[in-house]
Amino acid sequence: MKTVRLGIAGLGHVGCGLIELVERQAELRLPGKIEIVGVSARSRSRNRPVDISGYTWFDDAATLAEHPDVDVFVELMGGSDGPAKFAVEEALKAKKHVVTANKALIAMHGQALEQLAQDNDVDLMFEAAVAGGVPVVRVLRDSLSGVAIRRVSGILNGTCNYLTTQMLDTGRSYDQVLEEAQRLGYAEADPTLDVSGMDAAHKAAILASIAFTADLDFNKVSVKGVDTVELIDLNLADRLGLRIKLITEGILTDDGVVCRVGPMAMPVDHPLARVDGALNTVRVEGDPLGAVTLTGPGAGPGPTASAVMGDVSKLFTPTARSPFGRAPHHTACSFIAAKEAERSAYFLRVKLADKPGALASLTEALAAHDVSVDKLLQESADDSDVSPVAIVTHVCSRGDIETASARVSALEASVGAPQVIPIDAVNE
Ligand code: HSE
């Protein structure tokens, strides 16, 4: 029976989940046997859910990466630069296959690392970097290579989806729910990466690059997080028949690939609206397929470790295939910035001082920029005489709603910054 020998660097939630899975490999359907040559992490003595005393310890991940007994270097340290990048580069140069769950590393340096892997005739695999346990990277790269893809959208951050779902369902505050997501192992070590949209943006950029054979340029990705979304937004949207979630999108346009992440509102019967909690989902639309949607656990040690294991199992028969599915005869396209002219309906929430003429000044400001109201909902003022107003607009350009929102923000009656969230009208 063939044996694949791993060096595992990074023993956080996912690293420990992987060790557990290796120890339970008799229950799995692997093509051969997996051994662990050694492990490495920042701290050897930290309390962990698995006993690592039986594994050879390496203080330095890069030394483990190039160890002669290692066939596959598994990088679970995280971070786009620094020790993770260095160790992966050393592994590839030493002709070791690399499996990583590191979305930041792949989003920022994936195509340089792809080149290094190809130069050294080894595989670089990162199924676990996008959507945790949902198998989407190789599905997009291989199974859907016969589809001309138009759009890849999804929910790619379990923490943010957990936040928006739980806040709406339980009325708990943003901070309480975020703390729970950290405890459950969904959130990154630095949860700012989750709530700022950055984690989802890394994943969206990787998917867009694969789907459209695009040169990954992370600087062109537009990123907005859920850190500005308030409970009142979720509640008012709900009363208007909408769900607000952090949505990722990669779209092929005539000029290139637009990739973005941000809160989006959608009707409750929209396919993405029903994906709740820490679940992730990816929806691929193209010809002649139509649409396919993959949904499942996108965060947490078990699901993510299972995706790492799936990559490791492929390495019993390495292919040295481009991890992004690129080939010399493909026409590469570029990432481009989102355009102001793009059109959508919007959910707009404004807090108004409860006094005569406040609402009129709001609708006048919108009308001045050609933003027309489709639905409007106003709540009674709270103790501080501030009244939240939610508006669903007719379709308008992003440029117009942004200028109108700046004008609304400057109104005497307006309290705090307005919330502006595009509405995805796709129904199924
Ligand atoms: N922090 C990530 C999430 C984990 O919440 O989705 C998987 O990348």
Side-chain angles (χ1 to χ4, degrees):
M1 181 163 55
K2 188 170 176 186
T3 301
V4 162
R5 297 162 304 169
L6 309 184
I8 303 175
L11 297 174
H13 291 298
V14 180
C16 291
L18 180 63
I19 290 179
E20 250 175 58
L21 216 42
V22 172
E23 291 174 351
R24 285 174 37 202
Q25 62 182 288
E27 298 165 35
L28 310 177
R29 291 166 297 120
L30 302 175
K33 187 170 170 226
I34 293 180
E35 282 175 10
I36 298 177
V37 173
V39 297
S40 175
R42 261 201 301 261
S43 155
R44 188 174 186 172
S45 56
R46 190 181 133 183
N47 256 345
R48 295 190 165 89
V50 289
D51 178 11
I52 58 160
S53 61
Y55 299 112
T56 306
W57 177 264
F58 287 73
D59 282 326
D60 177 34
T63 309
L64 173 59
E66 57 192 10
H67 191 282
D69 291 344
V70 167
D71 301 313
V72 177
F73 178 62
V74 181
E75 186 277 303
L76 304 171
M77 296 185 279
S80 62
D81 291 273
K85 177 167 177 267
F86 182 68
V88 166
E89 286 169 345
E90 291 306 292
L92 296 173
K93 285 186 212 157
K95 301 197 182 299
K96 313 289 184 186
H97 306 290
V98 170
V99 173
T100 178
N102 188 336
K103 49 261 161 161
L105 175 73
I106 299 301
M108 305 308 286
H109 306 292
Q111 287 173 350
L113 294 173
E114 167 188 54
Q115 190 60 53
L116 194 56
Q118 305 243 275
D119 291 347
N120 287 286
D121 204 24
V122 287
D123 280 299
L124 165 66
M125 304 185 78
F126 43 80
E127 184 66 69
V130 184
V134 187
V136 60
V137 169
R138 273 186 282 130
V139 166
L140 203 53
R141 186 190 74 169
D142 299 335
S143 314
L144 298 180
S145 60
V147 177
I149 297 174
R150 282 190 310 273
R151 183 180 191 231
V152 183
S153 55
I155 295 173
L156 292 178
N157 185 274
T159 302
C160 293
N161 207 46
Y162 191 73
L163 265 168
T164 50
T165 308
Q166 285 285 312
M167 283 167 69
L168 180 64
D169 288 354
T170 67
R172 281 184 298 158
S173 74
Y174 176 94
D175 290 335
Q176 284 171 324
V177 181
L178 181 56
E179 198 186 291
E180 188 178 46
Q182 285 177 282
R183 209 172 48 245
L184 292 169
Y186 304 149
E188 298 300 297
D190 172 7
T192 319
L193 283 169
D194 295 297
V195 297
S196 66
M198 199 50 92
D199 173 82
H202 289 144
K203 297 165 181 170
I206 294 169
L207 291 188
S209 175
I210 297 172
F212 306 115
T213 335
D215 293 326
L216 202 165
D217 179 356
F218 193 72
N219 292 325
K220 294 279 179 6
V221 181
S222 129
V223 189
K224 195 174 161 196
V226 294
D227 38 8
T228 61
V229 175
E230 299 178 23
L231 185 54
I232 187 74
D233 301 327
L234 301 172
N235 282 329
L236 289 173
D238 183 48
R239 288 173 55 194
L240 288 163
L242 299 170
R243 286 280 174 281
I244 296 175
K245 291 178 172 292
L246 188 78
I247 299 294
T248 67
E249 255 191 327
I251 302 174
L252 186 63
T253 73
D254 290 344
D255 305 317
V257 174
V258 173
C259 183
R260 73 177 133 231
V261 176
M264 200 173 258
M266 65 210 76
V268 287
D269 58 349
H270 185 289
L272 302 190
R274 298 188 285 260
V275 177
D276 284 337
L279 289 179
N280 276 198
T281 195
V282 177
R283 183 176 162 84
V284 182
E285 294 162 53
D287 295 318
L289 172 74
V292 73
T293 306
L294 300 165
T295 302
T304 312
S306 77
V308 172
M309 196 57 127
D311 278 352
V312 169
S313 86
K314 280 292 281 180
L315 291 172
F316 282 86
T317 45
T319 58
R321 173 144 159 62
S322 151
F324 291 89
R326 306 202 294 176
H329 65 278
H330 291 160
T331 317
C333 59
S334 308
F335 277 45
I336 56 166
K339 294 192 176 131
E340 286 205 344
E342 63 193 24
R343 295 174 70 76
S344 166
Y346 284 85
F347 169 86
L348 174 70
R349 187 269 300 144
V350 183
K351 291 179 185 165
L352 287 180
D354 189 16
K355 58 183 185 192
L359 194 57
S361 69
L362 166 61
T363 51
E364 259 170 41
L366 296 179
H369 294 281
D370 267 346
V371 175
S372 170
V373 174
D374 179 24
K375 289 184 200 157
L376 187 147
L377 180 67
Q378 174 164 19
E379 283 216 329
S380 297
D382 59 15
D383 295 344
S384 51
D385 283 340
V386 172
S387 170
V389 179
I391 286 173
V392 172
T393 72
H394 284 292
V395 170
C396 62
S397 75
R398 184 163 65 84
D400 280 344
I401 190 79
E402 282 177 0
T403 330
S405 154
R407 187 163 172 154
V408 168
S409 188
L411 291 174
E412 205 193 320
S414 174
V415 180
Q419 180 67 271
V420 182
I421 296 180
I423 298 175
D424 188 355
V426 178
N427 271 302
E428 201 181 54

